[in-house]
Amino acid sequence: MVHTLPKKNGSRRSLGSRIENSLLNLLAAGGVLCIGLVIAAFFFNISLILFKTGSMSPTIPQGSMSVVQRISADEIRVGDVVTVDREEGDLPVTHRVIAVYPQRPGEALIEMQGDANPNPDPGPYRVTEVRKVLWSLPGAASVIVWFSDPLILGGLTLGAAALVLWAFWPRKGDEASVANTSIEASGAR
């Protein structure tokens, strides 16, 4: 003879349980999104640029964050907004291309000018590749800088670890559900 304990009605979940599941699903979706963005960034040569100056205003105001993609010199067109790496010690420059002079295959001389600047940049840039601005988000640079602070990153890491611990911590009702699923056989040997 098999005895089991009566099961509770599973359709009546508490509000706290529904909020907990929703929060965990949201965090899991965010984690999958982050992993997907890292993979896309790797395979499509995408990165971020933060703007400290307003030389590209009003198109890209100071404090903006831009998503950029690495392209070869053969793909540069007049009107593109591109980032060019300069000599060691100088920060990269991001301005609009106003002239392209193809050189040998895979190399070009480009002239650039910031949208807010009255004059073109001094001298052309010799490039084999640049980072083309795909889109930008005004004001996002300060948010990214804030999140990159070691104290903030440490706090987020501890918070994520606490959430994982909380999600997998045994609940009060867990022992009862294990008892409900166990089968006791009496008299069978």
Side-chain angles (χ1 to χ4, degrees):
M1 184 170 181
V2 176
H3 296 280
T4 59
L5 296 173
K7 293 185 179 181
K8 289 185 176 180
N9 185 356
S11 64
R12 301 182 85 194
R13 295 181 10 204
S14 70
L15 177 62
S17 175
R18 284 184 275 169
I19 291 173
E20 174 185 332
N21 286 340
S22 297
L23 180 63
L24 289 173
N25 287 336
L26 182 66
L27 292 172
V32 169
L33 176 67
C34 287
I35 291 169
L37 290 174
V38 167
I39 291 170
F42 178 76
F43 285 109
F44 298 110
N45 292 320
I46 293 175
S47 59
L48 302 176
I49 297 286
L50 305 179
F51 285 82
K52 291 184 177 183
T53 68
S55 67
M56 282 303 297
S57 292
T59 308
I60 305 173
Q62 179 181 0
S64 295
M65 179 270 314
S66 288
V67 175
V68 295
Q69 182 177 31
R70 194 171 296 277
I71 62 171
S72 72
D74 299 328
E75 300 175 69
I76 302 170
R77 303 288 177 257
V78 172
D80 288 346
V81 176
V82 300
T83 299
V84 175
D85 291 321
R86 296 191 287 180
E87 295 152 14
E88 202 65 36
D90 289 335
L91 291 174
V93 62
T94 304
H95 285 160
R96 189 172 305 280
V97 176
I98 58 173
V100 179
Y101 306 103
Q103 303 297 296
R104 59 181 189 246
E107 184 178 270
L109 287 175
I110 60 172
E111 291 182 19
M112 301 191 329
Q113 180 176 350
D115 289 359
N117 295 349
N119 300 316
D121 296 355
Y125 299 94
R126 182 175 300 277
V127 295
T128 56
E129 62 182 18
V130 297
R131 288 168 285 175
K132 181 180 177 183
V133 173
L134 302 177
W135 57 272
S136 62
L137 186 61
S142 59
V143 174
I144 291 172
V145 168
W146 184 79
F147 273 110
S148 65
D149 182 278
L151 292 176
I152 301 301
L153 284 174
L156 289 172
T157 302
L158 290 174
L163 281 173
V164 169
L165 183 64
W166 171 66
F168 291 105
W169 196 264
R171 306 282 192 292
K172 223 180 216 182
D174 288 349
E175 296 85 21
S177 66
V178 170
N180 286 339
T181 58
S182 66
I183 299 174
E184 296 178 8
S186 65
R189 292 192 189 219

